[in-house]
Amino acid sequence: MSGFLNVIIGQMERSTAGSENTAKRVLQMCGSMKPRNALFLGDDIFTPQLIAEQTGAEVLATFGEEQRAEAAENAGLNSRQVGAYEFAKRDGGWDFIWYNGLTEPDGVMRRLEQIHESLAHGGTAVFRTLCWLIDPSPDTKSYVTHRFGRPIALDEVLRDAKEQKFSIEDFYIAPKSDWRENFYEPMSVLVKKIEGADDGEQASGIGEINKEIYMFDLHSEEYSFVYYILKGK
């Protein structure tokens, strides 16, 4: 990702596609759990606030970006900046973990292993990752892999989760609106404020963003985020 794209995304409420409606739906699908504590790893403030309000859990919200950790703290959350793929430790594990991933450079199995190791016995976890919903076309596969990393097939995650001894409670495929209305449209608003600038890096970055939106509009049925609701044993 170019420096220009990083600057644009840094000004947005979230750095990946998502929505408040999806967070509400996924948490509802987790059932009537009453965790004493919860760990959130992600890129938005709404989800950890929702977890705290709906479950009564003591939530630690962790972020890879300093400005998001600070924004969460300013919003009244217990927050912390962490390294990439770092799970904050807690004696006895966490009753509930919500992990908003993108793609996993060291593999989905490794991330599921980390979640399993960090989860209290019988705890619940939400694991989000970018998935192929159908076999992708060559153009889509090439572009998405270059832009986001290597997605994994939806059913492959299910197999990996079972191998990690998780019980799979349910899963939810993020709707297209999470990408269009809640990610690309706010991004486009920010881009329009500077579109036409002479700066070479900005022009290149705007071109990258426009191409990403174009590719999504053409091929959005082939990939999206999938939220897996997992139960530890």
Side-chain angles (χ1 to χ4, degrees), residues 3 30 32 41 53 86 96 114-115 121 131 149 152 167 190 193 200 206 225 228 230:
C30 291
S32 57
L41 302 90
E53 292 168 3
E86 177 185 350
F96 182 54
Q114 283 184 286
I115 294 173
H121 179 73
C131 290
I152 189 168
S167 169
L190 290 171
K193 292 179 180 178
I206 290 169
F225 285 116
Y228 297 87
L230 311 173

Side-chain angles (χ1 to χ4, degrees), residues 125-138:
V126 171
F127 171 65
R128 187 198 77 172
T129 192
L130 188 65
C131 290
W132 297 123
L133 306 180
I134 60 175
D135 288 338
S137 63

Side-chain angles (χ1 to χ4, degrees), residues 28-162:
Q28 183 183 48
M29 292 169 69
C30 291
S32 57
M33 56 175 187
K34 292 294 180 184
R36 294 162 297 176
N37 52 73
L39 175 66
F40 172 79
L41 302 90
D43 60 334
D44 74 287
I45 296 173
F46 176 80
T47 303
Q49 288 176 322
L50 180 70
I51 294 168
E53 292 168 3
Q54 295 292 317
T55 71
E58 179 183 330
V59 179
L60 173 61
T62 62
F63 304 86
E65 301 155 296
E66 182 180 4
Q67 76 269 21
R68 297 193 190 279
E70 290 179 352
E73 186 174 346
N74 292 335
L77 286 164
N78 179 20
S79 68
R80 184 187 304 173
Q81 184 183 9
V82 294
Y85 317 114
E86 177 185 350
F87 286 72
K89 297 186 183 301
R90 182 185 181 91
D91 290 342
W94 298 91
D95 292 341
F96 182 54
I97 295 175
W98 185 304
Y99 173 82
N100 271 354
L102 179 56
T103 55
E104 306 299 337
D106 50 354
V108 163
M109 184 66 83
R110 173 56 187 149
R111 206 65 61 233
L112 290 171
E113 181 181 31
Q114 283 184 286
I115 294 173
H116 197 277
E117 291 170 350
S118 303
L119 198 64
H121 179 73
T124 301
V126 171
F127 171 65
R128 187 198 77 172
T129 192
L130 188 65
C131 290
W132 297 123
L133 306 180
I134 60 175
D135 288 338
S137 63
D139 284 352
T140 311
K141 186 173 183 178
S142 175
Y143 178 78
V144 171
T145 301
H146 175 75
R147 170 64 178 89
F148 297 112
R150 190 179 71 85
I152 189 168
L154 186 155
D155 59 348
E156 190 173 338
V157 180
L158 296 174
R159 291 195 297 270
D160 287 350
K162 288 179 181 177

Side-chain angles (χ1 to χ4, degrees), residues 23-32 229:
K24 290 175 182 177
R25 174 64 178 145
V26 172
L27 188 59
Q28 183 183 48
M29 292 169 69
C30 291
S32 57
I229 300 164

Side-chain angles (χ1 to χ4, degrees), residues 204-220:
S204 175
I206 290 169
E208 287 182 53
I209 291 170
N210 288 336
K211 181 176 180 180
E212 182 174 332
I213 296 171
Y214 172 76
M215 288 296 291
F216 179 79
D217 286 341
L218 282 180
H219 304 292
S220 58

